[in-house]
Amino acid sequence: MVLTVKTRDRTELVDITAEIGRLVAESGVRHGLCLVYVPHTTAGVTINENADPSVRKDLLMVLNQMVPWKADYRHIEGNSPAHVKSTLVGTSQTIAVENGHLVLGTWQGIFFCEFDGPRSRTVQVRILEGVFRE
Ligand code: ZN
């Protein structure tokens, strides 16, 4: 399954929890694993707090401080900071599925991480059925 995400800013965290949860529900899988994979070199996916939107802003602020836009980068395309952030954050997450629902903590959400937007992006989702021991 493929999810399309349209980003609006150069760097942005987009909450995709509801869309992933809908795909899990539609799959009919009751127990298993949900793989969320971002097939891009300047984007990523992370899980963090979705209750207070300030957390998203703080994450982006720190990432932007860690990886400045201007530095002695070699990559001719000029978007090396976005590539570095993609590697720091990672491009996949795996979430357990129980009783047809994602197993997420009360405050957790799944965020698509845009590091070189705005663009139209895709997120690959695979839901594996099976009972896994805790
Ligand atoms: Zn590049």
Short mmCIF file of all heavy atoms in Angstrom, two decimals, residues 4 21 26-27 32 47-48 61 65 72-73 77 81 85 90 93 97 110 119 126-127 133-134:
data_model
loop_
_atom_site.label_atom_id
_atom_site.label_comp_id
_atom_site.label_asym_id
_atom_site.label_seq_id
_atom_site.Cartn_x
_atom_site.Cartn_y
_atom_site.Cartn_z
N THR A 4 0.28 8.85 -0.11
CA THR A 4 0.88 10.05 -0.70
C THR A 4 0.83 11.17 0.34
O THR A 4 -0.20 11.38 0.98
CB THR A 4 0.11 10.48 -1.96
OG1 THR A 4 0.15 9.40 -2.90
CG2 THR A 4 0.74 11.71 -2.60
N GLY A 21 -3.17 4.04 10.47
CA GLY A 21 -4.17 3.27 11.22
C GLY A 21 -5.32 2.83 10.33
O GLY A 21 -5.83 1.71 10.47
N GLU A 26 -8.20 -1.36 7.23
CA GLU A 26 -8.69 -1.84 5.93
C GLU A 26 -8.07 -3.17 5.52
O GLU A 26 -8.66 -3.93 4.76
CB GLU A 26 -8.41 -0.79 4.84
CG GLU A 26 -9.32 0.43 4.93
CD GLU A 26 -8.94 1.52 3.96
OE1 GLU A 26 -8.00 1.32 3.15
OE2 GLU A 26 -9.57 2.60 4.01
N SER A 27 -6.86 -3.45 6.03
CA SER A 27 -6.16 -4.69 5.65
C SER A 27 -6.85 -5.92 6.24
O SER A 27 -6.68 -7.02 5.74
CB SER A 27 -4.71 -4.64 6.13
OG SER A 27 -4.64 -4.87 7.53
N GLY A 32 -0.11 -8.63 14.01
CA GLY A 32 1.06 -8.68 13.13
C GLY A 32 1.96 -7.49 13.32
O GLY A 32 2.08 -6.93 14.42
N ILE A 47 8.76 8.30 15.15
CA ILE A 47 7.63 8.20 16.09
C ILE A 47 7.96 9.08 17.29
O ILE A 47 9.04 8.94 17.88
CB ILE A 47 7.40 6.74 16.52
CG1 ILE A 47 6.95 5.90 15.32
CG2 ILE A 47 6.36 6.66 17.65
CD1 ILE A 47 6.79 4.42 15.60
N ASN A 48 7.04 10.00 17.61
CA ASN A 48 7.26 10.86 18.77
C ASN A 48 5.92 11.44 19.21
O ASN A 48 4.88 11.04 18.71
CB ASN A 48 8.30 11.94 18.46
CG ASN A 48 9.13 12.28 19.68
OD1 ASN A 48 8.57 12.64 20.73
ND2 ASN A 48 10.43 12.14 19.57
N MET A 61 13.85 22.22 15.09
CA MET A 61 14.81 23.25 15.49
C MET A 61 16.17 22.61 15.79
O MET A 61 17.21 23.08 15.31
CB MET A 61 14.31 24.01 16.71
CG MET A 61 15.27 25.09 17.19
SD MET A 61 14.75 25.81 18.76
CE MET A 61 15.21 24.51 19.91
N GLN A 65 19.70 22.89 13.81
CA GLN A 65 20.92 23.37 14.48
C GLN A 65 22.06 22.38 14.30
O GLN A 65 23.22 22.77 14.10
CB GLN A 65 20.66 23.60 15.97
CG GLN A 65 19.84 24.84 16.26
CD GLN A 65 19.39 24.91 17.72
OE1 GLN A 65 19.56 23.97 18.49
NE2 GLN A 65 18.79 26.03 18.08
N ASP A 72 30.53 23.34 4.36
CA ASP A 72 31.40 22.99 3.23
C ASP A 72 30.98 21.65 2.63
O ASP A 72 31.77 20.71 2.56
CB ASP A 72 32.86 22.96 3.72
CG ASP A 72 33.84 22.85 2.56
OD1 ASP A 72 33.46 23.18 1.42
OD2 ASP A 72 34.99 22.42 2.81
N TYR A 73 29.73 21.58 2.18
CA TYR A 73 29.23 20.33 1.59
C TYR A 73 29.77 20.15 0.17
O TYR A 73 29.97 21.13 -0.55
CB TYR A 73 27.69 20.35 1.56
CG TYR A 73 27.03 20.47 2.92
CD1 TYR A 73 26.27 21.60 3.25
CD2 TYR A 73 27.14 19.46 3.86
CE1 TYR A 73 25.66 21.72 4.48
CE2 TYR A 73 26.53 19.57 5.11
CZ TYR A 73 25.78 20.70 5.41
OH TYR A 73 25.18 20.82 6.63
N GLU A 77 24.12 18.97 -5.77
CA GLU A 77 22.69 19.30 -5.82
C GLU A 77 22.32 20.37 -4.78
O GLU A 77 21.28 21.03 -4.90
CB GLU A 77 21.86 18.03 -5.58
CG GLU A 77 20.41 18.17 -6.02
CD GLU A 77 19.58 16.95 -5.64
OE1 GLU A 77 20.09 16.05 -4.94
OE2 GLU A 77 18.41 16.91 -6.01
N PRO A 81 22.27 18.85 3.57
CA PRO A 81 21.68 18.79 4.91
C PRO A 81 20.46 17.87 4.95
O PRO A 81 20.25 17.16 5.93
CB PRO A 81 21.30 20.25 5.19
CG PRO A 81 22.19 21.04 4.32
CD PRO A 81 22.42 20.23 3.09
N LYS A 85 20.01 14.62 7.38
CA LYS A 85 18.88 14.48 8.31
C LYS A 85 18.12 13.19 8.05
O LYS A 85 17.64 12.53 9.00
CB LYS A 85 17.94 15.68 8.18
CG LYS A 85 18.51 16.96 8.76
CD LYS A 85 17.60 18.13 8.44
CE LYS A 85 18.32 19.43 8.67
NZ LYS A 85 17.63 20.56 8.02
N GLY A 90 16.30 8.22 9.89
CA GLY A 90 16.00 6.89 9.38
C GLY A 90 14.78 6.90 8.48
O GLY A 90 13.98 7.83 8.50
N GLN A 93 9.97 2.55 10.07
CA GLN A 93 9.52 2.24 11.43
C GLN A 93 8.68 0.97 11.34
O GLN A 93 8.01 0.74 10.33
CB GLN A 93 8.65 3.37 12.01
CG GLN A 93 9.39 4.67 12.26
CD GLN A 93 10.34 4.61 13.44
OE1 GLN A 93 10.17 3.78 14.33
NE2 GLN A 93 11.33 5.48 13.45
N VAL A 97 0.92 -4.63 15.57
CA VAL A 97 -0.54 -4.53 15.36
C VAL A 97 -1.20 -5.55 16.27
O VAL A 97 -0.83 -6.73 16.25
CB VAL A 97 -0.91 -4.81 13.89
CG1 VAL A 97 -2.42 -4.86 13.71
CG2 VAL A 97 -0.28 -3.78 12.96
N ILE A 110 2.97 8.85 14.45
CA ILE A 110 3.93 8.54 13.39
C ILE A 110 4.04 9.77 12.50
O ILE A 110 3.03 10.28 12.01
CB ILE A 110 3.46 7.32 12.56
CG1 ILE A 110 3.13 6.14 13.47
CG2 ILE A 110 4.51 6.94 11.52
CD1 ILE A 110 2.30 5.07 12.77
N ARG A 119 7.21 19.06 -1.48
CA ARG A 119 7.12 18.08 -2.57
C ARG A 119 5.94 17.14 -2.33
O ARG A 119 5.37 17.12 -1.25
CB ARG A 119 8.36 17.16 -2.57
CG ARG A 119 9.68 17.81 -2.76
CD ARG A 119 10.68 16.73 -3.08
NE ARG A 119 12.05 17.16 -2.81
CZ ARG A 119 13.10 16.53 -3.31
NH1 ARG A 119 12.95 15.46 -4.06
NH2 ARG A 119 14.32 16.95 -3.03
N ARG A 126 3.51 -1.84 4.57
CA ARG A 126 3.30 -3.29 4.45
C ARG A 126 2.81 -3.80 5.80
O ARG A 126 3.39 -3.46 6.84
CB ARG A 126 4.60 -4.02 4.09
CG ARG A 126 5.20 -3.60 2.76
CD ARG A 126 4.35 -4.05 1.57
NE ARG A 126 5.01 -3.72 0.32
CZ ARG A 126 4.93 -2.53 -0.30
NH1 ARG A 126 4.21 -1.56 0.24
NH2 ARG A 126 5.56 -2.32 -1.43
N ILE A 127 1.77 -4.61 5.76
CA ILE A 127 1.22 -5.16 7.00
C ILE A 127 1.39 -6.67 6.97
O ILE A 127 0.85 -7.35 6.08
CB ILE A 127 -0.25 -4.73 7.17
CG1 ILE A 127 -0.29 -3.19 7.25
CG2 ILE A 127 -0.84 -5.34 8.43
CD1 ILE A 127 -1.59 -2.59 6.86
N ARG A 133 5.54 -13.45 19.62
CA ARG A 133 5.67 -13.52 21.08
C ARG A 133 6.19 -12.20 21.61
O ARG A 133 7.06 -11.58 21.01
CB ARG A 133 6.65 -14.63 21.47
CG ARG A 133 6.13 -16.02 21.17
CD ARG A 133 7.26 -17.02 21.37
NE ARG A 133 6.91 -18.32 20.82
CZ ARG A 133 6.29 -19.26 21.49
NH1 ARG A 133 5.98 -19.05 22.76
NH2 ARG A 133 6.00 -20.39 20.93
N GLU A 134 5.66 -11.76 22.76
CA GLU A 134 6.12 -10.52 23.37
C GLU A 134 7.41 -10.76 24.09
O GLU A 134 7.65 -11.83 24.61
CB GLU A 134 5.08 -9.99 24.35
CG GLU A 134 3.94 -9.31 23.66
CD GLU A 134 2.99 -8.62 24.62
OE1 GLU A 134 3.42 -8.26 25.74
OE2 GLU A 134 1.84 -8.46 24.25
#
